[in-house]
Amino acid sequence: MFYKCFYTSLLVLLLFSTNSLFSQTKSETYENIATLTQKATDLMKLEKFEESLVLSRQALGSAITLKDDNLIAINYNTIAANFDQLGEYEKALFYYKKGIIYANKTNNQHLKNWIYNNLGNIYCFDKKEYNNGIYYYKKSLAYSTKIADSSEIFLTKFNIAWAYFDINKFDLGLPYLNYVNKYHKIHGDESTIVALNMLNGMYQSHLKHTNRAIFYFEKAIQLGQDGSEKSDLSYAHQEYSKFLFQIKNYKKAYENLNAFNKITNELNNDEKLRKLNMMGINIEIDEYKREINHIKTEYKTNHQLLLEKQSKNRLISIVIISILLLVIVFSYLYFQNTQLKQKNKLKEIQSKIQEKIITASINGQEIERKRIASFLHDNISALLSSAALHLTVFSTKNNTNSEEITKTKAILIQTHYKIRDLSHQLLPSLLARFGLFYALNDLCESNTNSSIHFDYSSNVADETRYNEEFEMKMYFIISELLNNIIKHSQATKAKINLKEIDSELHILVKDNGIGFEIKNYRTIEGFGLNQIKARINTMNGKFRIISKPDNGTSIKIIAPIDYKS
């Protein structure tokens, strides 16, 4: 694996070394922000990502208020590093790129070096886009050379050598490998020695120097077994098995391939256990199917009883009319009044049952989203990775590197990332890990662009958590309202405001778009306003729309809060 370093430490020294000309008041502000950011970094190292994100966002807000590009870039880098650790690579990439925009406005060469290195890690280690990764590594290398940071020069050249070797460009990677071999005793340690021997083994394999290649590979495996870095050991077994296939030592190749698979499975299982501890899914979709069937049965029974009661009342009215003409008028009025009440009651029951069916169906869809997202991420994605690996082994064993196999491997890798992105779209991991308010804040920021700006505000602390089912309902309702604004309103500004008042969540979604006639909103198809209203009603909440043509739209929702047990 590449050597990832989330450069967010030593911030106090960095801040004051680049801002010595500020006044005493501003220096105190810098010290407060630096302390806050350092705490966020310490929490991230302890894998307390939620708390780290809270502090780093607070520090970012203060930095933006201060209008200091250096502080803004540092805190964007801290936020990105948290998402990188969480496996949210697209979000990490988004914040790293924001950070480098502000870093390039400063003279802070250290900071530019760090962020460019982190970008290189994302592209090489996570996205497997080596050309982009090498580009950013070389940018980082230029700045580390400029500031004469020899240890950082060493690690960056190490990563560049590995990236070139991974794409079989050994001649381009050789100068960097030579540098690493020369200075490893000075800057290397136990965490790099396994990988260094493996790289030397790969290069000797490329040169067809069999004995030297075997020496380096077996030395890497021996050192890896004595150490604690399983990922480097797994890569050493994988590369050694490829080489053994080339020299037709199939038995030993399969032994190393099996060792690689075993270690990889252990690493994957550790990662799955970590994710399962962060996200618990306890509700089964079958419960919601049974609820839907129960509601339908109840609806049919009530409807049949009402029809029978109507028939009985008609019979009584006919008997009374035949006996006394005088009673006809009163009987008629009674009948009409009873029928009207029954119809109204029937409509009310039908409306409530329909609302329950809609809610149960949508709840079922949300649970199905969870199940599908988990299945895609934990099973399909893993199978695609395994398929790509076996295809690589096949091509190596048969000494072929046809265009069709290369394209097939590329398609498998592309499909793997698309499935991962789809699982995140089905169930935002930010919602499950950090709660409703973090997810909504991120949703507004993600949807903001040059055409429309979403302003998010809340009187509730971001770390507040409610019942998981309640948070999912509110998130998908608000998400659908934002989609309606983007698709139909032609608005340039929109705001989302949340307040917690007397155990109720008050939600306001407002835009400055073209608006519409309220009487026509019932014609909107899909997961429309009527279905949102029905779902709020089943929660004993309130739903109100205020809109006029050319005068924007406001939607107010009040929902009783289901607090976390």
Side-chain angles (χ1 to χ4, degrees), residues 404-462:
E404 289 76 9
I405 291 179
T406 302
K407 288 183 177 179
T408 301
K409 289 191 289 184
I411 290 170
L412 286 172
I413 293 171
Q414 184 181 13
T415 304
H416 164 73
Y417 288 114
K418 287 186 176 180
I419 286 176
R420 186 193 63 188
D421 294 341
L422 176 59
S423 69
H424 290 171
Q425 291 173 10
L426 287 171
L427 179 63
S429 56
L430 200 62
L431 174 64
R433 290 191 180 104
F434 303 131
L436 176 65
F437 299 96
Y438 266 111
L440 291 177
N441 193 350
D442 184 74
L443 183 65
C444 291
E445 186 171 352
S446 298
N447 282 317
T448 296
N449 54 45
S450 59
S451 300
I452 184 169
H453 176 78
F454 287 92
D455 180 51
Y456 170 86
S457 62
S458 172
N459 74 341
V460 187
D462 285 348

Short mmCIF file of all heavy atoms in Angstrom, two decimals, residues 404-462:
data_model
loop_
_atom_site.label_atom_id
_atom_site.label_comp_id
_atom_site.label_asym_id
_atom_site.label_seq_id
_atom_site.Cartn_x
_atom_site.Cartn_y
_atom_site.Cartn_z
N GLU A 404 -8.08 -7.21 -24.87
CA GLU A 404 -9.40 -7.57 -24.31
C GLU A 404 -9.31 -7.79 -22.81
O GLU A 404 -10.19 -7.36 -22.05
CB GLU A 404 -9.94 -8.85 -24.99
CG GLU A 404 -10.37 -8.66 -26.44
CD GLU A 404 -9.20 -8.58 -27.41
OE1 GLU A 404 -8.05 -8.83 -26.98
OE2 GLU A 404 -9.41 -8.25 -28.60
N ILE A 405 -8.25 -8.46 -22.36
CA ILE A 405 -8.12 -8.70 -20.91
C ILE A 405 -7.88 -7.39 -20.18
O ILE A 405 -8.45 -7.14 -19.12
CB ILE A 405 -6.97 -9.69 -20.65
CG1 ILE A 405 -7.37 -11.09 -21.15
CG2 ILE A 405 -6.62 -9.74 -19.17
CD1 ILE A 405 -6.29 -12.13 -20.97
N THR A 406 -7.04 -6.54 -20.75
CA THR A 406 -6.80 -5.23 -20.12
C THR A 406 -8.08 -4.43 -19.99
O THR A 406 -8.37 -3.83 -18.96
CB THR A 406 -5.78 -4.44 -20.96
OG1 THR A 406 -4.58 -5.19 -21.07
CG2 THR A 406 -5.49 -3.10 -20.29
N LYS A 407 -8.87 -4.43 -21.07
CA LYS A 407 -10.15 -3.70 -21.02
C LYS A 407 -11.10 -4.32 -20.01
O LYS A 407 -11.85 -3.63 -19.32
CB LYS A 407 -10.80 -3.67 -22.41
CG LYS A 407 -10.08 -2.75 -23.39
CD LYS A 407 -10.80 -2.69 -24.74
CE LYS A 407 -10.12 -1.72 -25.70
NZ LYS A 407 -10.80 -1.66 -27.01
N THR A 408 -11.09 -5.66 -19.96
CA THR A 408 -11.98 -6.35 -19.00
C THR A 408 -11.62 -5.96 -17.56
O THR A 408 -12.49 -5.68 -16.75
CB THR A 408 -11.88 -7.87 -19.18
OG1 THR A 408 -12.24 -8.22 -20.51
CG2 THR A 408 -12.82 -8.57 -18.20
N LYS A 409 -10.31 -5.94 -17.27
CA LYS A 409 -9.90 -5.54 -15.92
C LYS A 409 -10.32 -4.10 -15.64
O LYS A 409 -10.79 -3.79 -14.54
CB LYS A 409 -8.38 -5.69 -15.78
CG LYS A 409 -7.92 -7.15 -15.72
CD LYS A 409 -6.47 -7.26 -15.31
CE LYS A 409 -5.53 -6.78 -16.40
NZ LYS A 409 -4.11 -6.97 -16.05
N ALA A 410 -10.16 -3.23 -16.62
CA ALA A 410 -10.57 -1.82 -16.43
C ALA A 410 -12.07 -1.71 -16.18
O ALA A 410 -12.52 -0.93 -15.34
CB ALA A 410 -10.16 -1.00 -17.65
N ILE A 411 -12.84 -2.51 -16.93
CA ILE A 411 -14.31 -2.48 -16.74
C ILE A 411 -14.67 -2.97 -15.35
O ILE A 411 -15.55 -2.41 -14.68
CB ILE A 411 -15.00 -3.34 -17.82
CG1 ILE A 411 -14.87 -2.66 -19.20
CG2 ILE A 411 -16.49 -3.55 -17.50
CD1 ILE A 411 -15.31 -3.53 -20.37
N LEU A 412 -14.01 -4.04 -14.88
CA LEU A 412 -14.30 -4.56 -13.53
C LEU A 412 -14.00 -3.52 -12.46
O LEU A 412 -14.77 -3.32 -11.52
CB LEU A 412 -13.47 -5.81 -13.28
CG LEU A 412 -13.93 -7.09 -14.01
CD1 LEU A 412 -12.90 -8.20 -13.82
CD2 LEU A 412 -15.30 -7.53 -13.53
N ILE A 413 -12.85 -2.83 -12.61
CA ILE A 413 -12.48 -1.81 -11.62
C ILE A 413 -13.48 -0.66 -11.67
O ILE A 413 -13.93 -0.15 -10.64
CB ILE A 413 -11.05 -1.31 -11.89
CG1 ILE A 413 -10.05 -2.45 -11.62
CG2 ILE A 413 -10.72 -0.10 -11.03
CD1 ILE A 413 -8.63 -2.14 -12.05
N GLN A 414 -13.84 -0.23 -12.91
CA GLN A 414 -14.81 0.88 -13.05
C GLN A 414 -16.15 0.49 -12.44
O GLN A 414 -16.79 1.28 -11.75
CB GLN A 414 -14.97 1.22 -14.52
CG GLN A 414 -15.90 2.44 -14.76
CD GLN A 414 -16.05 2.73 -16.24
OE1 GLN A 414 -15.68 1.94 -17.08
NE2 GLN A 414 -16.59 3.88 -16.55
N THR A 415 -16.57 -0.75 -12.68
CA THR A 415 -17.85 -1.23 -12.11
C THR A 415 -17.78 -1.25 -10.59
O THR A 415 -18.74 -0.90 -9.90
CB THR A 415 -18.17 -2.63 -12.65
OG1 THR A 415 -18.18 -2.60 -14.08
CG2 THR A 415 -19.54 -3.08 -12.15
N HIS A 416 -16.61 -1.66 -10.05
CA HIS A 416 -16.44 -1.69 -8.59
C HIS A 416 -16.69 -0.30 -8.00
O HIS A 416 -17.42 -0.16 -7.01
CB HIS A 416 -15.02 -2.15 -8.28
CG HIS A 416 -14.58 -1.85 -6.88
ND1 HIS A 416 -15.06 -2.55 -5.79
CD2 HIS A 416 -13.72 -0.93 -6.40
CE1 HIS A 416 -14.50 -2.06 -4.71
NE2 HIS A 416 -13.69 -1.09 -5.05
N TYR A 417 -16.10 0.75 -8.61
CA TYR A 417 -16.28 2.10 -8.05
C TYR A 417 -17.69 2.62 -8.26
O TYR A 417 -18.24 3.34 -7.43
CB TYR A 417 -15.26 3.07 -8.67
CG TYR A 417 -13.86 2.80 -8.17
CD1 TYR A 417 -12.86 2.35 -9.03
CD2 TYR A 417 -13.53 2.97 -6.83
CE1 TYR A 417 -11.58 2.08 -8.57
CE2 TYR A 417 -12.26 2.71 -6.36
CZ TYR A 417 -11.29 2.28 -7.22
OH TYR A 417 -10.04 2.03 -6.76
N LYS A 418 -18.29 2.25 -9.39
CA LYS A 418 -19.68 2.70 -9.61
C LYS A 418 -20.63 2.06 -8.60
O LYS A 418 -21.57 2.71 -8.12
CB LYS A 418 -20.12 2.37 -11.04
CG LYS A 418 -19.47 3.28 -12.09
CD LYS A 418 -20.05 3.02 -13.48
CE LYS A 418 -19.46 4.00 -14.50
NZ LYS A 418 -20.01 3.78 -15.86
N ILE A 419 -20.41 0.80 -8.29
CA ILE A 419 -21.25 0.11 -7.29
C ILE A 419 -21.05 0.74 -5.91
O ILE A 419 -21.99 0.94 -5.15
CB ILE A 419 -20.95 -1.39 -7.28
CG1 ILE A 419 -21.54 -2.04 -8.54
CG2 ILE A 419 -21.52 -2.06 -6.03
CD1 ILE A 419 -21.22 -3.50 -8.69
N ARG A 420 -19.81 1.07 -5.62
CA ARG A 420 -19.55 1.73 -4.32
C ARG A 420 -20.26 3.08 -4.25
O ARG A 420 -20.89 3.42 -3.25
CB ARG A 420 -18.04 1.93 -4.14
CG ARG A 420 -17.65 2.48 -2.76
CD ARG A 420 -16.23 2.96 -2.73
NE ARG A 420 -16.05 4.07 -3.65
CZ ARG A 420 -14.87 4.60 -3.95
NH1 ARG A 420 -13.77 4.10 -3.45
NH2 ARG A 420 -14.78 5.61 -4.80
N ASP A 421 -20.19 3.87 -5.34
CA ASP A 421 -20.89 5.16 -5.37
C ASP A 421 -22.39 4.97 -5.26
O ASP A 421 -23.08 5.75 -4.59
CB ASP A 421 -20.55 5.91 -6.67
CG ASP A 421 -19.08 6.31 -6.72
OD1 ASP A 421 -18.44 6.34 -5.65
OD2 ASP A 421 -18.58 6.60 -7.82
N LEU A 422 -22.92 3.92 -5.93
CA LEU A 422 -24.36 3.66 -5.86
C LEU A 422 -24.79 3.33 -4.44
O LEU A 422 -25.83 3.78 -3.97
CB LEU A 422 -24.72 2.51 -6.80
CG LEU A 422 -26.20 2.04 -6.77
CD1 LEU A 422 -27.14 3.19 -7.12
CD2 LEU A 422 -26.39 0.88 -7.71
N SER A 423 -23.98 2.55 -3.72
CA SER A 423 -24.34 2.19 -2.34
C SER A 423 -24.37 3.43 -1.46
O SER A 423 -25.21 3.55 -0.58
CB SER A 423 -23.34 1.18 -1.78
OG SER A 423 -22.06 1.76 -1.58
N HIS A 424 -23.46 4.40 -1.71
CA HIS A 424 -23.47 5.65 -0.95
C HIS A 424 -24.67 6.51 -1.29
O HIS A 424 -25.21 7.23 -0.45
CB HIS A 424 -22.17 6.43 -1.21
CG HIS A 424 -20.98 5.77 -0.59
ND1 HIS A 424 -19.68 6.17 -0.83
CD2 HIS A 424 -20.88 4.69 0.23
CE1 HIS A 424 -18.84 5.39 -0.19
NE2 HIS A 424 -19.54 4.50 0.47
N GLN A 425 -25.13 6.47 -2.58
CA GLN A 425 -26.32 7.22 -2.97
C GLN A 425 -27.57 6.62 -2.35
O GLN A 425 -28.48 7.35 -1.94
CB GLN A 425 -26.45 7.24 -4.49
CG GLN A 425 -25.39 8.07 -5.19
CD GLN A 425 -25.44 7.93 -6.70
OE1 GLN A 425 -26.39 7.36 -7.24
NE2 GLN A 425 -24.43 8.44 -7.38
N LEU A 426 -27.63 5.28 -2.27
CA LEU A 426 -28.81 4.63 -1.68
C LEU A 426 -28.93 4.95 -0.20
O LEU A 426 -30.02 5.17 0.31
CB LEU A 426 -28.71 3.12 -1.88
CG LEU A 426 -28.95 2.60 -3.30
CD1 LEU A 426 -28.60 1.13 -3.38
CD2 LEU A 426 -30.40 2.84 -3.73
N LEU A 427 -27.81 4.98 0.51
CA LEU A 427 -27.84 5.26 1.94
C LEU A 427 -26.60 6.08 2.30
O LEU A 427 -25.52 5.54 2.43
CB LEU A 427 -27.85 3.96 2.75
CG LEU A 427 -27.85 4.14 4.26
CD1 LEU A 427 -29.12 4.86 4.71
CD2 LEU A 427 -27.74 2.81 4.97
N PRO A 428 -26.75 7.40 2.42
CA PRO A 428 -25.61 8.25 2.77
C PRO A 428 -24.98 7.78 4.08
O PRO A 428 -25.66 7.73 5.10
CB PRO A 428 -26.23 9.65 2.90
CG PRO A 428 -27.51 9.59 2.15
CD PRO A 428 -27.99 8.17 2.28
N SER A 429 -23.70 7.43 4.05
CA SER A 429 -23.05 6.95 5.25
C SER A 429 -22.94 8.04 6.30
O SER A 429 -22.89 7.76 7.49
CB SER A 429 -21.66 6.43 4.90
OG SER A 429 -20.90 7.43 4.26
N LEU A 430 -22.90 9.30 5.87
CA LEU A 430 -22.83 10.40 6.82
C LEU A 430 -24.05 10.44 7.71
O LEU A 430 -23.97 10.75 8.90
CB LEU A 430 -22.69 11.74 6.06
CG LEU A 430 -22.12 12.92 6.85
CD1 LEU A 430 -20.71 12.61 7.32
CD2 LEU A 430 -22.12 14.17 6.00
N LEU A 431 -25.25 10.11 7.14
CA LEU A 431 -26.49 10.08 7.91
C LEU A 431 -26.42 9.01 8.99
O LEU A 431 -26.77 9.26 10.15
CB LEU A 431 -27.68 9.82 6.98
CG LEU A 431 -29.05 9.62 7.64
CD1 LEU A 431 -29.49 10.89 8.35
CD2 LEU A 431 -30.08 9.20 6.61
N ALA A 432 -25.96 7.83 8.65
CA ALA A 432 -25.92 6.73 9.62
C ALA A 432 -24.86 6.97 10.70
O ALA A 432 -25.07 6.66 11.85
CB ALA A 432 -25.66 5.41 8.89
N ARG A 433 -23.72 7.55 10.29
CA ARG A 433 -22.63 7.70 11.26
C ARG A 433 -22.82 8.90 12.17
O ARG A 433 -22.63 8.82 13.38
CB ARG A 433 -21.29 7.86 10.51
CG ARG A 433 -20.83 6.59 9.82
CD ARG A 433 -19.39 6.74 9.35
NE ARG A 433 -18.92 5.54 8.68
CZ ARG A 433 -18.78 5.43 7.38
NH1 ARG A 433 -19.09 6.44 6.61
NH2 ARG A 433 -18.33 4.31 6.84
N PHE A 434 -23.21 10.06 11.59
CA PHE A 434 -23.17 11.29 12.36
C PHE A 434 -24.54 11.93 12.58
O PHE A 434 -24.66 12.90 13.30
CB PHE A 434 -22.25 12.30 11.66
CG PHE A 434 -20.87 11.79 11.45
CD1 PHE A 434 -20.24 11.87 10.22
CD2 PHE A 434 -20.18 11.18 12.50
CE1 PHE A 434 -18.98 11.38 10.02
CE2 PHE A 434 -18.91 10.69 12.32
CZ PHE A 434 -18.30 10.78 11.07
N GLY A 435 -25.58 11.43 11.93
CA GLY A 435 -26.92 11.92 12.24
C GLY A 435 -27.49 12.88 11.22
O GLY A 435 -26.86 13.27 10.23
N LEU A 436 -28.75 13.28 11.51
CA LEU A 436 -29.56 14.06 10.58
C LEU A 436 -28.94 15.41 10.26
O LEU A 436 -28.85 15.80 9.09
CB LEU A 436 -30.97 14.25 11.18
CG LEU A 436 -31.93 15.13 10.39
CD1 LEU A 436 -32.27 14.49 9.05
CD2 LEU A 436 -33.21 15.37 11.19
N PHE A 437 -28.47 16.13 11.26
CA PHE A 437 -28.06 17.51 11.04
C PHE A 437 -26.74 17.60 10.27
O PHE A 437 -26.57 18.48 9.41
CB PHE A 437 -27.98 18.26 12.38
CG PHE A 437 -29.29 18.29 13.10
CD1 PHE A 437 -29.59 17.35 14.08
CD2 PHE A 437 -30.26 19.21 12.74
CE1 PHE A 437 -30.81 17.37 14.72
CE2 PHE A 437 -31.49 19.24 13.38
CZ PHE A 437 -31.77 18.31 14.38
N TYR A 438 -25.80 16.70 10.54
CA TYR A 438 -24.59 16.65 9.72
C TYR A 438 -24.93 16.33 8.27
O TYR A 438 -24.41 16.93 7.33
CB TYR A 438 -23.64 15.58 10.25
CG TYR A 438 -22.62 16.11 11.21
CD1 TYR A 438 -22.66 15.77 12.55
CD2 TYR A 438 -21.61 16.97 10.77
CE1 TYR A 438 -21.73 16.27 13.45
CE2 TYR A 438 -20.68 17.46 11.65
CZ TYR A 438 -20.73 17.11 12.99
OH TYR A 438 -19.80 17.60 13.85
N ALA A 439 -25.82 15.33 8.09
CA ALA A 439 -26.17 14.91 6.73
C ALA A 439 -26.85 16.03 5.95
O ALA A 439 -26.58 16.24 4.77
CB ALA A 439 -27.09 13.68 6.78
N LEU A 440 -27.78 16.79 6.61
CA LEU A 440 -28.47 17.88 5.92
C LEU A 440 -27.51 19.02 5.60
O LEU A 440 -27.59 19.64 4.54
CB LEU A 440 -29.63 18.39 6.79
CG LEU A 440 -30.81 17.42 6.94
CD1 LEU A 440 -31.86 18.01 7.86
CD2 LEU A 440 -31.43 17.09 5.59
N ASN A 441 -26.62 19.32 6.55
CA ASN A 441 -25.63 20.37 6.30
C ASN A 441 -24.77 20.01 5.09
O ASN A 441 -24.53 20.83 4.19
CB ASN A 441 -24.75 20.54 7.55
CG ASN A 441 -23.92 21.81 7.48
OD1 ASN A 441 -23.84 22.48 6.45
ND2 ASN A 441 -23.30 22.16 8.59
N ASP A 442 -24.33 18.77 5.03
CA ASP A 442 -23.53 18.30 3.90
C ASP A 442 -24.34 18.28 2.62
O ASP A 442 -23.84 18.59 1.54
CB ASP A 442 -22.99 16.90 4.21
CG ASP A 442 -22.06 16.40 3.12
OD1 ASP A 442 -20.92 16.89 3.03
OD2 ASP A 442 -22.48 15.53 2.34
N LEU A 443 -25.65 17.91 2.72
CA LEU A 443 -26.52 17.87 1.54
C LEU A 443 -26.64 19.26 0.92
O LEU A 443 -26.59 19.43 -0.30
CB LEU A 443 -27.90 17.34 1.93
CG LEU A 443 -28.93 17.18 0.81
CD1 LEU A 443 -28.47 16.11 -0.18
CD2 LEU A 443 -30.28 16.81 1.38
N CYS A 444 -26.82 20.29 1.77
CA CYS A 444 -26.92 21.67 1.26
C CYS A 444 -25.62 22.10 0.62
O CYS A 444 -25.62 22.71 -0.46
CB CYS A 444 -27.29 22.62 2.40
SG CYS A 444 -28.96 22.40 3.03
N GLU A 445 -24.50 21.78 1.24
CA GLU A 445 -23.21 22.19 0.70
C GLU A 445 -22.91 21.48 -0.62
O GLU A 445 -22.40 22.09 -1.57
CB GLU A 445 -22.11 21.89 1.72
CG GLU A 445 -20.75 22.40 1.30
CD GLU A 445 -19.72 22.28 2.40
OE1 GLU A 445 -20.10 21.94 3.53
OE2 GLU A 445 -18.53 22.55 2.13
N SER A 446 -23.30 20.20 -0.72
CA SER A 446 -23.04 19.43 -1.94
C SER A 446 -23.88 19.92 -3.11
O SER A 446 -23.44 19.89 -4.25
CB SER A 446 -23.33 17.95 -1.69
OG SER A 446 -22.49 17.45 -0.70
N ASN A 447 -25.13 20.37 -2.84
CA ASN A 447 -26.02 20.80 -3.91
C ASN A 447 -25.80 22.26 -4.32
O ASN A 447 -26.33 22.72 -5.33
CB ASN A 447 -27.48 20.61 -3.50
CG ASN A 447 -27.92 19.17 -3.60
OD1 ASN A 447 -27.61 18.49 -4.58
ND2 ASN A 447 -28.61 18.67 -2.59
N THR A 448 -25.05 23.00 -3.51
CA THR A 448 -24.78 24.40 -3.85
C THR A 448 -23.81 24.48 -5.02
O THR A 448 -22.80 23.79 -5.05
CB THR A 448 -24.20 25.13 -2.62
OG1 THR A 448 -25.19 25.16 -1.59
CG2 THR A 448 -23.79 26.55 -2.99
N ASN A 449 -24.16 25.31 -6.00
CA ASN A 449 -23.28 25.50 -7.16
C ASN A 449 -23.45 26.92 -7.67
O ASN A 449 -24.05 27.77 -6.99
CB ASN A 449 -23.58 24.47 -8.25
CG ASN A 449 -25.05 24.45 -8.64
OD1 ASN A 449 -25.68 25.52 -8.83
ND2 ASN A 449 -25.62 23.25 -8.76
N SER A 450 -22.94 27.19 -8.87
CA SER A 450 -23.01 28.54 -9.41
C SER A 450 -24.43 28.96 -9.78
O SER A 450 -24.71 30.14 -9.92
CB SER A 450 -22.11 28.65 -10.66
OG SER A 450 -22.53 27.71 -11.64
N SER A 451 -25.35 28.01 -9.91
CA SER A 451 -26.73 28.32 -10.30
C SER A 451 -27.64 28.54 -9.11
O SER A 451 -28.59 29.31 -9.17
CB SER A 451 -27.30 27.19 -11.18
OG SER A 451 -26.54 27.03 -12.33
N ILE A 452 -27.37 27.84 -8.01
CA ILE A 452 -28.26 27.93 -6.85
C ILE A 452 -27.44 27.76 -5.58
O ILE A 452 -26.51 26.96 -5.52
CB ILE A 452 -29.39 26.89 -6.92
CG1 ILE A 452 -30.36 27.07 -5.77
CG2 ILE A 452 -28.86 25.48 -6.97
CD1 ILE A 452 -31.63 26.26 -5.91
N HIS A 453 -27.81 28.53 -4.56
CA HIS A 453 -27.13 28.45 -3.27
C HIS A 453 -28.12 28.01 -2.20
O HIS A 453 -29.20 28.59 -2.05
CB HIS A 453 -26.55 29.81 -2.88
CG HIS A 453 -25.92 29.83 -1.52
ND1 HIS A 453 -24.67 29.29 -1.30
CD2 HIS A 453 -26.38 30.28 -0.33
CE1 HIS A 453 -24.38 29.43 -0.01
NE2 HIS A 453 -25.40 30.02 0.60
N PHE A 454 -27.76 26.96 -1.45
CA PHE A 454 -28.59 26.47 -0.36
C PHE A 454 -27.98 26.93 0.96
O PHE A 454 -26.82 26.64 1.23
CB PHE A 454 -28.69 24.93 -0.38
CG PHE A 454 -29.54 24.41 -1.48
CD1 PHE A 454 -29.00 24.06 -2.71
CD2 PHE A 454 -30.92 24.27 -1.30
CE1 PHE A 454 -29.79 23.56 -3.73
CE2 PHE A 454 -31.71 23.77 -2.31
CZ PHE A 454 -31.15 23.42 -3.53
N ASP A 455 -28.78 27.64 1.74
CA ASP A 455 -28.33 28.14 3.03
C ASP A 455 -28.92 27.27 4.12
O ASP A 455 -30.14 27.11 4.22
CB ASP A 455 -28.76 29.60 3.20
CG ASP A 455 -28.31 30.16 4.54
OD1 ASP A 455 -27.13 30.04 4.88
OD2 ASP A 455 -29.15 30.71 5.26
N TYR A 456 -28.08 26.69 4.97
CA TYR A 456 -28.53 25.80 6.04
C TYR A 456 -28.36 26.48 7.40
O TYR A 456 -27.33 27.09 7.66
CB TYR A 456 -27.71 24.50 6.01
CG TYR A 456 -27.92 23.62 7.22
CD1 TYR A 456 -28.97 22.70 7.25
CD2 TYR A 456 -27.08 23.70 8.33
CE1 TYR A 456 -29.17 21.89 8.36
CE2 TYR A 456 -27.27 22.90 9.44
CZ TYR A 456 -28.31 22.00 9.45
OH TYR A 456 -28.51 21.21 10.54
N SER A 457 -29.38 26.39 8.24
CA SER A 457 -29.29 26.92 9.59
C SER A 457 -30.12 26.07 10.53
O SER A 457 -31.11 25.46 10.13
CB SER A 457 -29.76 28.38 9.64
OG SER A 457 -31.12 28.49 9.27
N SER A 458 -29.69 26.03 11.82
CA SER A 458 -30.40 25.21 12.79
C SER A 458 -30.05 25.68 14.19
O SER A 458 -28.92 26.14 14.43
CB SER A 458 -30.03 23.73 12.62
OG SER A 458 -30.57 22.95 13.66
N ASN A 459 -31.04 25.60 15.10
CA ASN A 459 -30.75 25.92 16.50
C ASN A 459 -30.41 24.68 17.29
O ASN A 459 -30.31 24.71 18.51
CB ASN A 459 -31.95 26.65 17.14
CG ASN A 459 -33.13 25.73 17.42
OD1 ASN A 459 -33.23 24.64 16.83
ND2 ASN A 459 -34.01 26.14 18.30
N VAL A 460 -30.25 23.55 16.57
CA VAL A 460 -29.94 22.27 17.20
C VAL A 460 -28.47 21.95 16.92
O VAL A 460 -27.99 22.14 15.80
CB VAL A 460 -30.84 21.14 16.65
CG1 VAL A 460 -30.61 19.85 17.44
CG2 VAL A 460 -32.30 21.55 16.71
N ALA A 461 -27.76 21.49 17.94
CA ALA A 461 -26.34 21.13 17.76
C ALA A 461 -26.21 20.02 16.73
O ALA A 461 -27.02 19.10 16.68
CB ALA A 461 -25.76 20.67 19.10
N ASP A 462 -25.16 20.13 15.90
CA ASP A 462 -24.97 19.16 14.81
C ASP A 462 -24.85 17.73 15.31
O ASP A 462 -25.24 16.78 14.63
CB ASP A 462 -23.73 19.51 13.98
CG ASP A 462 -23.98 20.71 13.08
OD1 ASP A 462 -25.15 21.10 12.93
OD2 ASP A 462 -23.01 21.23 12.51
#
